[in-house]
Amino acid sequence: MIMKRNGFVMTIIVLMMTTLEVIACSNSGKVEAQQQEQVKPNPVKEGPHNPVIRGYNRAVVPLIIDPDKVDDYLAERRDTINAYDVVEQMPSFPGGYQKLYEFIKKNLRYPKECADSGIQGRVIIAFVVERNGKLSNIRVVKSVNPALDKEALRIVNLMPNWIPGKQNGRTVRVKFLVPITFRPK
């Protein structure tokens, strides 16, 4: 809902208990609508200051945002939900790639059953570097053997927080791939 008051455009963002629908109008007059899952439910009780709209099974709370800040707000909401593939400044392991490979080499424990069988190969692990540097959504993209996959996942879960990626001067979520090669000595 967009309201005009004294010549100023006000943007109202409607928060629902299960979804967040953003309807915004930038200064250029362009209207954007975006719907996304809300992480925490917004428990609203009916009262004189918290009206519950009849006919809906969800409570609705209007939020007013300054029209000059709408574009920034929408960009921040997109950055918290979507993870980028490529950004201006990619995330990095503390100390750079050399330290990353040293970390992997130091912590790698070749599974005995794979070493005895001569199983070798490269396991590729995908994850998202969050805005705070923590790793999430860690998963195997290319598998060699379940035991090697398990070891590669263990190593990535041991990693410290990374230096997050940046896009337009703002820290953002970024997808990242790390290959871990297993070769018997």
Side-chain angles (χ1 to χ4, degrees):
M1 175 187 304
I2 300 171
M3 301 178 356
K4 241 184 176 176
R5 185 174 172 198
N6 299 333
F8 294 101
V9 177
M10 294 190 324
T11 304
I12 297 194
I13 295 180
V14 180
L15 293 171
M16 296 184 177
M17 291 211 36
T18 56
T19 56
L20 169 68
E21 188 168 333
V22 179
I23 302 171
C25 180
S26 63
N27 288 338
S28 63
K30 180 178 153 192
V31 176
E32 289 187 42
Q34 180 180 15
Q35 190 169 17
Q36 47 202 232
E37 288 300 315
Q38 184 177 354
V39 178
K40 296 179 184 174
N42 188 4
V44 177
K45 295 189 169 60
E46 185 173 7
H49 302 292
N50 296 325
V52 174
I53 297 176
R54 299 286 176 218
Y56 289 91
N57 59 356
R58 297 177 273 203
V60 177
V61 179
L63 231 95
I64 298 174
I65 293 183
D66 183 6
D68 297 332
K69 298 179 181 173
V70 169
D71 293 331
D72 291 338
Y73 179 81
L74 291 174
E76 186 175 321
R77 293 298 301 162
R78 276 191 295 270
D79 293 346
T80 58
I81 293 169
N82 301 326
Y84 288 87
D85 292 322
V86 178
V87 291
E88 293 168 355
Q89 182 182 341
M90 290 297 287
S92 62
F93 188 81
Y97 288 112
Q98 186 63 35
K99 292 288 184 186
L100 171 63
Y101 291 117
E102 287 174 16
F103 177 86
I104 292 171
K105 186 177 179 182
K106 177 183 167 192
N107 292 293
L108 183 73
R109 287 186 277 180
Y110 206 110
K112 186 168 176 29
E113 64 270 13
C114 293
D116 293 343
S117 304
I119 298 172
Q120 61 182 2
R122 179 178 294 153
V123 177
I124 298 178
I125 302 291
F127 53 86
V128 174
V129 180
E130 296 291 339
R131 296 172 72 184
N132 61 3
K134 292 185 188 273
L135 305 183
S136 68
N137 301 342
I138 302 168
R139 66 189 189 286
V140 176
V141 176
K142 181 182 176 259
S143 175
V144 175
N145 178 285
L148 296 180
D149 298 346
K150 186 177 177 183
E151 177 60 15
L153 288 170
R154 186 190 69 80
I155 291 170
V156 172
N157 281 310
L158 285 175
M159 288 183 182
N161 289 354
W162 285 45
I163 300 165
K166 291 187 177 186
Q167 182 71 15
N168 297 325
R170 183 181 295 144
T171 58
V172 293
R173 300 174 76 227
V174 182
K175 298 174 189 172
F176 207 86
L177 296 174
V178 171
I180 299 177
T181 304
F182 292 89
R183 275 191 216 114
K185 294 181 181 176

